[in-house]
Amino acid sequence: MKDKPVKIEITDGAGIPAKNDAGLISAWWISFIGAISIITYLVVTKPDPYKDILMFVPDGILVTFQVTIFSIIGASIIGLFTGLGRISKNRFFNLIASTYVEVVRGIPLLVQLFYIYYALGRVLLVPDMLSAIIAMSVCYGAYMGEVFRAGIDSIDNGQTEAARSLGFDKNQTMFLVILPQAWRTILPPVGNEFIALLKDSSLVSILAVADILRRGREFAAESFQYFETYTMIALLYLLITLILSKGVSHMEDRLNHYDR
Amino acid sequence: MTVNSIIEIKNVYKFFGDLAALSDVSLDIKAGEKVVIIGPSGSGKSTLLRSINRLEEISRGSIVVDGQDVHDKSSNINNIRQELGMVFQSFNLFPHKTVLENLTMAPIKLKGIDKEEAKAIAVDLLKKVGINEKANVYPSKLSGGQQQRVAIARALAMNPKIMLFDEPTSALDPEMIGEVLDVMKNLAVEGMTMVVVTHEMGFAREVADRIVFMDDGRIIACEPPETFFTCTDHPRLKQFLSQIL
Ligand SMILES: Nc1ncnc2c1ncn2[C@@H]1O[C@H](COP(=O)(O)OP(=O)(O)OP(=O)(O)O)[C@@H](O)[C@H]1O
Ligand SMILES: [Mg+2]
């Protein structure tokens, strides 16, 4: 019943603009306008190679978004079960979930990626893109698990007791009463994870997945214009991340003000 | 053991670690009876009430509700709970559901009652507790007294045989206590079996068939109101009554 706006901060996250950062002269706007201006300036004044790079990369943007979106979905599903396991009184489920989180947090993301990717791709012959997505999902599922756990924890225990005393069983209580309330707390950090995941998805370029960075590397390898290419790549990532973080902060605002 | 007891509490103990929240508590409640439980803070009133629908697991003893052993692992606790409406101090309405949905949710999902019928029952119940005009608003828009009346209606929507109340008016502003007690009194008149933990002595005097006084996890006295308030056998009770009356 308590309408405490709980904020979950798990991830290194992205630069979500702070409240007092809302004016026109804010870090966000400076970065945003800056990024757009520089891209425009470079493309207009030096179309060779900057325009060529810009034309070459969009395929990769699509792949980056594909990897990110499917991975966040996968990570959310794993995260939901991990979160449920972490709060479970069942020793077995609890231990599995906790161990998973412990293991994932203890191994560098890149190492996990390589490991899962080669295990799936080389040993089980899962396609590249799919193994990359599964790898990202498994890595991020641990963090998402903490987000779900915190979100579920934020709901007053009285809600569970009210539901149980009406005759709802544990699962009905979780899915009909607790989770529908917890999503308000869960959604903003999921947004943050989404942005963090998008950035980390650049790691899949090392595997055979043609995301933004991979496309850039291909371009650079052919043209030998490494500096120019990576300038463009960095600016593109920045632009995408800035737009997404604005979106997340809007969503956060709306959830906070959401008055029923 | 009386044959027509709807709640049979026998030699119940409940330990939190070393602390005995309930010590050898026995109490039989007949169908239609209204039992009010009073006692100082920490005396085990909530623990006893919550043991009746197994929100609290007991350590020893047995509780039988309507012929079913509540704490037996083989009994279906979710079915037993449908017979036992519970009202909490903090209302605990579902904030993401409208008032009407709060009432219809359990009957639809648990009893398989169809939507329209559940709605009709809910509207009747809301009329009964006097807030039918708020059917489509969210609980956060209601006053405490209104929320608690909705909570009572929500419990009644499952058509329980017994209603448990844990200090239903303690979280309310004084001017709202009356409206909730009125709803409870009406319920009593209709013959509902009620177990009520409360500090409202006027309510106890008027409605209770028996008043149970608990202290330190034990039932010290269990008397009809006529003799309860003049009871001098128990020093702790005498002291408690002198403090609150
Ligand atoms: N979950 C718990 N863990 C540990 N101790 C508990 C727990 N719940 C209750 N207790 C203890 O058990 C005893 C009885 O508590 P209970 O809530 O039943 O008292 P009460 O009579 O309802 O008091 P109040 O009038 O304050 O509501 C208290 O000493 C309390 O601290
Ligand atoms: Mg209590």
Side-chain angles (χ1 to χ4, degrees):
Chain A
M1 192 104 310
K2 280 163 223 152
D3 244 301
K4 48 193 174 185
V6 181
K7 230 175 153 187
I8 308 171
E9 286 169 49
I10 307 284
T11 172
D12 58 331
I16 302 296
K19 282 280 157 315
N20 55 5
D21 221 14
L24 204 56
I25 305 180
S26 66
W28 189 89
W29 277 108
I30 293 171
S31 318
F32 184 69
I33 304 285
I36 289 191
S37 313
I38 296 172
I39 292 175
T40 313
Y41 173 79
L42 290 176
V43 168
V44 170
T45 57
K46 284 183 74 183
D48 177 23
Y50 288 109
K51 196 169 170 215
D52 299 340
I53 301 170
L54 200 61
M55 302 308 286
F56 191 78
V57 174
D59 293 355
I61 298 182
L62 203 70
V63 171
T64 291
F65 269 100
Q66 269 173 0
V67 170
T68 307
I69 289 169
F70 286 117
S71 299
I72 201 82
I73 293 171
S76 297
I77 295 167
I78 296 175
L80 173 60
F81 286 104
T82 309
L84 291 174
R86 296 269 283 171
I87 56 167
S88 171
K89 291 203 182 76
N90 183 314
R91 284 276 297 156
F92 180 70
F93 291 130
N94 195 311
L95 215 58
I96 290 184
S98 303
T99 309
Y100 161 63
V101 171
E102 205 65 45
V103 168
V104 166
R105 285 184 150 185
I107 302 174
L109 181 55
L110 187 55
V111 177
Q112 290 181 57
L113 269 182
F114 269 129
Y115 187 79
I116 298 175
Y117 178 78
Y118 283 112
L120 289 175
R122 295 292 167 271
V123 182
L124 298 174
L125 302 178
V126 177
D128 291 339
M129 176 87 156
L130 187 59
S131 358
I133 289 170
I134 293 175
M136 293 294 284
S137 301
V138 169
C139 303
Y140 264 80
Y143 296 93
M144 294 290 282
E146 293 305 279
V147 170
F148 274 91
R149 187 188 56 72
I152 292 166
D153 265 355
S154 74
I155 304 302
D156 190 274
N157 193 37
Q159 291 292 308
T160 303
E161 296 197 336
R164 295 307 303 274
S165 69
L166 282 168
F168 288 115
D169 65 26
K170 270 191 190 152
N171 290 336
Q172 291 168 322
T173 300
M174 184 54 70
F175 287 96
L176 296 173
V177 175
I178 305 302
L179 286 176
Q181 296 180 56
W183 71 269
R184 281 175 79 182
T185 334
I186 290 172
L187 217 48
V190 169
N192 289 356
E193 291 294 327
F194 186 84
I195 296 168
L197 208 155
L198 185 129
K199 289 189 294 178
D200 283 349
S201 76
S202 62
L203 293 172
V204 305
S205 67
I206 297 175
L207 320 170
V209 178
D211 75 330
I212 300 178
L213 183 55
R214 176 99 184 178
R215 291 290 282 172
R217 284 168 61 199
E218 285 169 6
F219 188 91
E222 273 175 35
S223 64
F224 299 106
Q225 289 170 310
Y226 290 97
F227 173 74
E228 291 81 353
T229 308
Y230 291 128
T231 303
M232 207 60 181
I233 298 292
L235 285 167
L236 282 175
Y237 269 115
L238 178 62
L239 204 57
I240 294 172
T241 310
L242 284 170
I243 293 169
L244 287 177
S245 69
K246 197 65 167 179
V248 169
S249 92
H250 267 298
M251 178 182 74
E252 232 172 4
D253 270 358
R254 293 202 38 194
L255 287 176
N256 285 343
H257 292 261
Y258 186 50
D259 205 333
R260 292 168 295 190
Chain B
M1 186 177 89
T2 355
V3 185
N4 56 352
S5 289
I6 193 163
I7 304 177
E8 296 162 18
I9 301 169
K10 255 195 277 178
N11 310 109
V12 166
Y13 289 79
K14 168 68 185 181
F15 298 99
F16 290 112
D18 286 342
L19 178 94
L22 297 176
S23 292
D24 198 16
V25 171
S26 295
L27 181 67
D28 277 5
I29 297 171
K30 292 191 197 62
E33 220 184 351
K34 291 95 185 89
V35 173
V36 168
I37 302 173
I38 67 170
S41 181
S43 58
K45 307 181 295 293
S46 298
T47 306
L48 177 59
L49 199 71
R50 293 158 55 83
S51 303
I52 297 175
N53 68 353
R54 206 162 120 186
L55 282 186
E56 214 73 75
E57 300 281 347
I58 60 176
S59 312
R60 241 197 288 163
S62 76
I63 298 179
V64 176
V65 171
D66 201 20
Q68 292 166 284
D69 188 338
V70 176
H71 290 264
D72 183 354
K73 293 279 178 259
S74 68
S75 41
N76 184 336
I77 186 61
N78 298 319
N79 285 347
I80 300 177
R81 280 177 178 150
Q82 296 185 19
E83 309 278 301
L84 288 157
M86 182 145 193
V87 176
F88 302 86
Q89 183 175 340
S90 50
F91 328 135
N92 297 342
L93 292 177
F94 304 133
H96 61 302
K97 300 276 180 190
T98 64
V99 165
L100 196 75
E101 289 164 349
N102 263 275
L103 268 68
T104 56
M105 196 174 150
I108 293 171
K109 298 275 181 204
L110 298 173
K111 291 192 151 176
I113 294 178
D114 79 57
K115 265 196 180 132
E116 291 311 311
E117 193 187 342
K119 257 188 200 171
I121 296 171
V123 168
D124 277 349
L125 282 168
L126 287 175
K127 273 184 197 146
K128 193 164 143 182
V129 300
I131 26 183
N132 48 318
E133 77 281 8
K134 303 276 189 194
N136 293 313
V137 308
Y138 285 93
S140 60
K141 295 272 183 283
L142 301 180
S143 72
Q146 290 173 325
Q147 288 193 43
Q148 194 60 300
R149 285 184 282 152
V150 173
I152 295 172
R154 176 178 66 178
L156 292 174
M158 285 301 282
N159 198 19
K161 291 191 174 142
I162 300 158
M163 286 286 285
L164 309 172
F165 295 84
D166 192 358
E167 303 201 31
T169 57
S170 296
L172 296 177
D173 293 336
E175 72 270 17
M176 293 173 186
I177 292 176
E179 65 195 49
V180 171
L181 291 180
D182 284 344
V183 168
M184 292 168 64
K185 284 174 196 168
N186 287 337
L187 205 54
V189 170
E190 287 172 14
M192 177 63 77
T193 309
M194 294 164 69
V195 186
V196 186
V197 175
T198 185
H199 296 296
E200 296 295 325
M201 290 306 136
F203 176 84
R205 200 188 291 268
E206 186 182 333
V207 174
D209 296 310
R210 280 185 294 158
I211 303 177
V212 169
F213 176 71
M214 290 189 71
D215 188 33
D216 208 11
R218 291 169 190 282
I219 293 182
I220 304 284
C222 177
E223 305 270 345
E226 307 85 64
T227 53
F228 184 87
F229 290 101
T230 53
C231 182
T232 49
D233 304 353
H234 309 285
R236 278 294 283 138
L237 173 55
K238 233 175 108 179
Q239 184 195 348
F240 183 76
L241 287 175
S242 70
Q243 278 164 8
I244 57 163
L245 292 180

